[in-house]
Amino acid sequence: MARLTINGKSMEVTVDPSTPLLWAIREQVGLTGTKYGCGIAQCGACTIHLDGVATRSCVVPVAAVEGKQITTIEGLAANGVLSKVQQAWVDFEVPQCGYCQSGMIMAVTALLKEKPKPNDADIDAGITNICRCGTFQQVREAIHAAAKA
Ligand code: FES
Ligand code: FES
């Protein structure tokens, strides 16, 4: 049993403390926007925010996140209004299959908080998520647009 705070709501999940947060989010809480890609912190599909910091949830045990604020892709829009990053993703038609994109958006949102006007080198260094559809150019354009919004 663990008590988690996800998207501002406190809840109990019945899992072994060593369970990766990703699986608690998806299977116990039912928020399936956060995706499983590799399970070894390499692809970024499972990126969420832990106290505002982009974190790969496939390698973080539930026991390590009690008392922290967890934000998933479902928690980004406020009162039905998309975040500026989400809106840029729509405007630039970034997703192809879409599988990697919730993790990408979470990583980009954290990057823009840290560096509100990132240059291409900042983006290359900060966004290491993998997109098998090769949307990297659209991602870059959408990040620059979101930074200006
Ligand atoms: S599933 Fe977590 S980084 Fe790939
Ligand atoms: S949009 Fe298909 S993997 Fe990125």
Side-chain angles (χ1 to χ4, degrees):
M1 184 86 82
R3 177 157 287 280
L4 303 180
T5 305
I6 302 181
N7 301 331
K9 289 192 192 128
S10 177
M11 59 191 79
E12 279 189 347
V13 292
T14 309
V15 291
D16 185 277
S18 64
T19 304
L21 176 60
L22 171 64
W23 298 116
I25 290 171
R26 287 182 57 85
E27 298 193 345
Q28 262 68 42
V29 184
L31 294 174
T32 55
T34 307
K35 303 300 186 196
Y36 169 76
C38 64
I40 52 170
Q42 294 297 301
C43 74
C46 65
T47 304
I48 51 94
H49 294 171
L50 262 190
D51 288 341
V53 177
T55 303
R56 295 186 174 184
S57 63
C58 65
V59 291
V60 177
V62 161
V65 299
E66 285 194 271
K68 297 188 188 233
Q69 293 291 331
I70 300 160
T71 308
T72 70
I73 187 73
E74 291 88 348
L76 271 199
N79 301 319
V81 179
L82 296 180
S83 72
K84 64 183 183 175
V85 175
Q86 288 173 309
Q87 190 59 54
W89 252 239
V90 173
D91 295 343
F92 284 79
E93 299 181 343
V94 175
Q96 293 296 312
C97 80
Y99 196 85
C100 72
Q101 297 293 336
S102 53
M104 196 72 91
I105 287 170
M106 296 309 283
V108 168
T109 300
L111 173 71
L112 289 181
K113 213 163 89 182
E114 206 177 304
K115 283 186 194 284
K117 304 278 179 214
N119 59 29
D120 283 347
D122 295 328
I123 293 170
D124 290 344
I127 305 300
T128 56
N129 298 43
I130 294 170
C131 173
R132 294 192 66 166
C133 297
T135 62
F136 300 108
Q137 191 53 38
Q138 293 97 315
V139 165
R140 188 184 300 279
E141 286 169 10
I143 291 173
H144 287 306
K148 287 190 200 123

